[in-house]
Amino acid sequence: MSGSMTEEPKPAATGGGPGGEPGGGVGACAAVIVAAGRGVRAGGDVPKQYARIGGEPVLRRTVGVFAAHPAVSTVVAVIHPDDAALARQAAGPARVHFVDGGASRQESVYNGLKFLDNLDPEFVLVHDAARPFVTADIVGKCLDAARRHAAAAAGVPMADTVKRTDEAGVVTDTIARDRLWRAQTPQAFRYRDLMAAHEAAAGRALTDDAAVAEAAGFAVAMSPGSEDNFKITAAEDLARADRIARALAPRVTVVGHGFDVHAFGPGDHIVLCGVRIGHSRGLEGHSDADAALHALTDALLGALGEGDIGQHFPDSDPQWRGAASDRFVRHALGLAAAADGRLINLDLTIVCERPKLQPHYDAMKRSLCALTGLPPARIGLKATTTEKLGFTGRGEGLAAQAVVSLDLPDTV
Ligand code: MG
């Protein structure tokens, strides 16, 4: 059982744990998070416990549940010594002690337990870092079960029929699934019991800490886990974890508004929503003067709090001369996508006396669908006049207004 400690355990002190937090002694519970694996079976260039799901390292989610749990006073993460910097960064702001792991999971847990020797908590929870969807409820129920029995393991009753096969894969028997469970973590123990059980099990490879305790003769009760409390092992698990993390993350709907005007000038057509419309005049402007797409760009930038179109595409820059304005919209949509945003709908109003736009609605709407990826039902497109009042009424120019709503992570 080797493995140097990355921190020295502090001397025992009444009412003071290794980091000065209360929580040693009778009634106290520590958590040992096993994060020492280096496997990259789940894909990516870092071990799975440091991979990001929903934008956050797996370890941070896992550690956060225990650090925030009212029954848990001390959290120890057992890590591979080569991953110290990675682990500290991944764990984030939670108060965590880091301990070097050993050659096997069992040795790593034992190193974590030894670190707690001076603190001497009454209970200890052992949990896999790669199970980030553990909940406070699962932790609490596991600990309660350990208080009632000698030890407890979270798990899920077997729902599938279980078959045993011979070496050729042919079924030899069907195992009655009643009272069969799939064991997960957390697993909860009286600290001194688990220490003694680990010492007795040294040199024997056992599958989990419940098995270590069983081998030492302690009664282990099962307590309710959940299907979401699965262990990230393969790449598909990481993808599933990312989907769950994103679904759990709070999101908000934001609204953006844009307004644009271009003056009529010489020409034989105008461009609106990316559609060329024949007319006795053209629109003046640095780009193709597509006021509708400029208003839409500003609405998107507005929803993102990202300034306006002039800041992103200065009209002093010759590269935008005559440019098709769909590129401005694509740029703003790219910013939304980078923020993990989703465009929900858009509503455009174009204000002019002429040309009459109704004959062009279908083409304009198809163009907006293609540009934004929205279905027709999420695109509003309207034209109005100002009853011959003002600059639009006098035919001096054309105005466009756009409103968009975006679904965004609530990270502010
Ligand atoms: Mg403009």
Side-chain angles (χ1 to χ4, degrees):
M1 303 274 178
S2 64
S4 63
M5 301 289 182
T6 52
E7 289 177 42
E8 286 304 310
K10 309 292 188 297
T14 309
E21 67 271 43
V26 175
C29 178
V32 172
I33 310 299
V34 191
R38 302 219 79 209
V40 289
R41 250 196 301 167
D45 47 7
V46 293
K48 61 201 176 184
Q49 62 272 30
Y50 307 123
R52 297 178 91 84
I53 54 170
E56 194 177 46
V58 169
L59 182 65
R60 187 169 307 181
R61 293 191 77 96
T62 309
V63 154
V65 173
F66 289 88
H69 199 286
V72 176
S73 53
T74 306
V75 179
V76 176
V78 188
I79 60 169
H80 192 283
D82 292 351
D83 293 339
L86 200 54
R88 281 173 198 278
Q89 203 240 331
R95 181 157 184 76
V96 182
H97 304 276
F98 294 93
V99 174
D100 285 353
S104 66
R105 184 186 186 282
Q106 198 171 321
E107 283 187 33
S108 291
V109 172
Y110 184 61
N111 286 357
L113 295 175
K114 278 193 297 186
F115 177 82
L116 295 168
D117 190 40
N118 287 340
L119 183 62
D120 196 22
E122 186 172 3
F123 291 95
V124 64
L125 290 152
V126 180
H127 185 71
D128 299 320
R131 295 184 189 270
F133 301 114
V134 62
T135 62
D137 185 55
I138 293 173
V139 172
K141 283 177 174 155
C142 187
L143 193 54
D144 286 347
R147 289 182 202 280
R148 288 195 306 273
H149 305 268
V156 177
M158 193 69 95
D160 299 317
T161 297
V162 183
K163 307 279 190 188
R164 194 194 312 274
T165 65
D166 62 16
E167 283 175 7
V170 176
V171 173
T172 56
D173 54 324
T174 295
I175 299 160
R177 67 166 178 251
D178 54 313
R179 293 191 281 141
L180 280 186
W181 293 64
R182 287 181 286 124
Q184 302 178 333
T185 66
Q187 300 184 349
F189 310 87
R190 290 187 184 277
Y191 170 69
R192 286 291 159 200
D193 289 355
L194 189 62
M195 274 292 270
H198 264 269
E199 276 155 15
R204 296 166 59 201
L206 295 170
T207 183
D208 62 1
D209 298 281
V212 169
E214 291 157 41
F218 294 107
V220 180
M222 296 305 294
S223 72
S226 81
E227 292 295 344
D228 279 348
N229 185 32
F230 66 97
K231 188 173 183 178
I232 298 170
T233 307
E236 64 189 34
D237 302 327
L238 204 49
R240 178 184 171 198
D242 188 53
R243 283 196 303 275
I244 294 173
R246 285 180 192 283
L248 291 173
R251 297 184 69 92
V252 287
T253 301
V254 296
V255 170
H257 171 257
F259 176 72
D260 195 38
V261 169
H262 282 265
F264 283 115
D268 61 1
H269 73 278
I270 63 173
V271 177
L272 283 176
C273 302
V275 174
R276 183 188 166 106
I277 295 169
H279 187 45
S280 57
R281 315 198 68 190
L283 285 172
E284 294 180 344
H286 189 67
S287 65
D288 65 2
D290 188 333
L293 293 192
H294 296 181
L296 176 56
T297 303
D298 264 352
L300 290 163
L301 294 173
L304 294 165
E306 285 277 2
D308 64 32
I309 191 169
Q311 290 168 253
H312 291 261
F313 302 97
D315 60 12
S316 56
D317 188 335
Q319 69 170 308
W320 312 126
R321 182 161 302 157
S325 295
D326 65 319
R327 68 190 306 160
F328 307 142
V329 177
R330 288 183 208 282
H331 170 77
L333 288 170
L335 293 176
D340 195 21
R342 186 180 62 88
L343 179 61
I344 299 170
N345 79 316
L346 72 88
D347 190 12
L348 261 171
T349 302
I350 297 163
V351 186
C352 64
E353 296 291 332
R354 283 176 194 290
K356 290 297 170 200
L357 295 177
Q358 203 161 358
H360 305 283
Y361 275 0
D362 284 350
M364 290 160 76
K365 201 155 173 173
R366 275 198 303 276
S367 172
L368 289 170
C369 287
L371 182 55
T372 60
L374 287 174
R378 294 282 181 270
I379 294 178
L381 179 60
K382 308 184 289 296
T384 187
T385 72
T386 48
E387 301 293 341
K388 301 213 161 39
L389 298 170
F391 71 88
T392 52
R394 292 188 297 271
E396 295 166 7
L398 172 153
Q401 296 197 43
V403 175
V404 300
S405 60
L406 281 180
D407 171 57
L408 282 175
D410 190 11
T411 51
V412 179

